[in-house]
């Protein structure tokens, strides 16, 4: 089975801190995605990547950046965390086109105080 | 902008009851996926429907794709506590080919 691993399940950070969320997939998938999930708002796409060193903005990229130095790893970076970035962050991957079935990680719940 | 409207947002029922969750849009989708997300976990795919009018069954779950490929429904027969979770529909056809997600239906099945 494809596995998407988010190493940090729960994080508590202070306003202004730099935050790294790491995601690794083990099935050689081309595409990787970062979503945030908030009650009443559903899943919103932050950034995605179709290839190494390649990134595309999703629907809500403001306040975030990403890094994909290796095919299996996609990192989400909050340069200066703010309280409105408190959320559940979900990483996902799929094999080729963006509309293919997504395999999700278990999520990283971030609280910014 | 393509949108997927899911209803109801919340559903609390007793074990053994039947229920239907709806996913509607004014846009046409090339395919539609249903995911279930349990507390503390990421969403997991249940089914993909591709053809207008298609019906797929997964044990007690029945999924239907509308003839015009603008809507879908999920029907659960004789719900069990293990069905508890957040059900998400997702349509293929968003910006740059990405999935568009509905906001989800939170189902609670009480024993």
């Amino acid at each position: 089975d494809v596995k998407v691993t988010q190493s940090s399940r729960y994080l508590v950070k202070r306003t202004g801190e730099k935050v790294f969320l790491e995601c690794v997939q083990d099935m050689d998938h081309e595409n990787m995605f970062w979503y945030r999930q908030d009650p009443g708002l559903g899943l919103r796409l932050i950034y995605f990547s179709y290839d190494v060193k390649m990134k595309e903005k999703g629907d809500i990229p403001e306040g975030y950046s990403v890094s994909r130095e290796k095919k299996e790893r996609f990192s989400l970076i909050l340069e200066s965390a703010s309280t409105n970035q408190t959320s559940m962050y979900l990483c996902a991957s799929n094999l080729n086109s963006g509309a293919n079935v997504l395999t999700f990680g278990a999520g990283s719940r971030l609280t910014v105080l | 902008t393509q949108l997927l409207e899911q209803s109801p947002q919340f559903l609390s029922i007793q074990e053994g009851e039947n229920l239907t969750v709806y996913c509607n849009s004014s846009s046409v989708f090339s395919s539609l996926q249903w995911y279930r997300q349990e507390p503390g976990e990421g969403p997991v795919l249940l089914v993909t429907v591709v053809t207008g009018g298609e019906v797929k069954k997964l044990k007690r779950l029945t999924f239907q794709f509308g003839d015009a490929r603008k809507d879908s429904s999920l029907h659960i027969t004789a719900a069990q506590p293990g069905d508890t979770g957040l059900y998400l529909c997702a349509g293929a056809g968003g910006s740059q080919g990405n999935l568009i997600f509905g906001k989800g239906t939170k189902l609670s099945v009480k024993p």
Side-chain angles (χ1 to χ4, degrees), chain B residues 51-65:
Chain B
T51 307
E54 183 176 3
V55 176
K56 279 192 175 178
K57 292 195 174 187
L58 192 65
K59 297 184 181 177
R60 292 175 295 100
L61 279 61
T62 301
F63 304 85
Q64 186 160 6
F65 202 13

Side-chain angles (χ1 to χ4, degrees), chain B residues 2 15-16 18 21-22 37 44 62 64 68 71 73 82 87-88 91 94-95 100 104 109:
Chain B
Q2 291 178 296
E15 182 175 1
N18 302 333
V21 176
Y22 299 94
Q37 183 179 18
V44 176
T62 301
Q64 186 160 6
D71 56 88
S73 64
Y87 289 81
L88 295 159
S95 62
I100 296 169
V109 182

Side-chain angles (χ1 to χ4, degrees), chain B residues 16-29:
Chain B
E17 291 184 21
N18 302 333
L19 66 115
T20 303
V21 176
Y22 299 94
C23 183
N24 296 300
S25 176
S26 58
S27 303
V28 175
F29 292 96

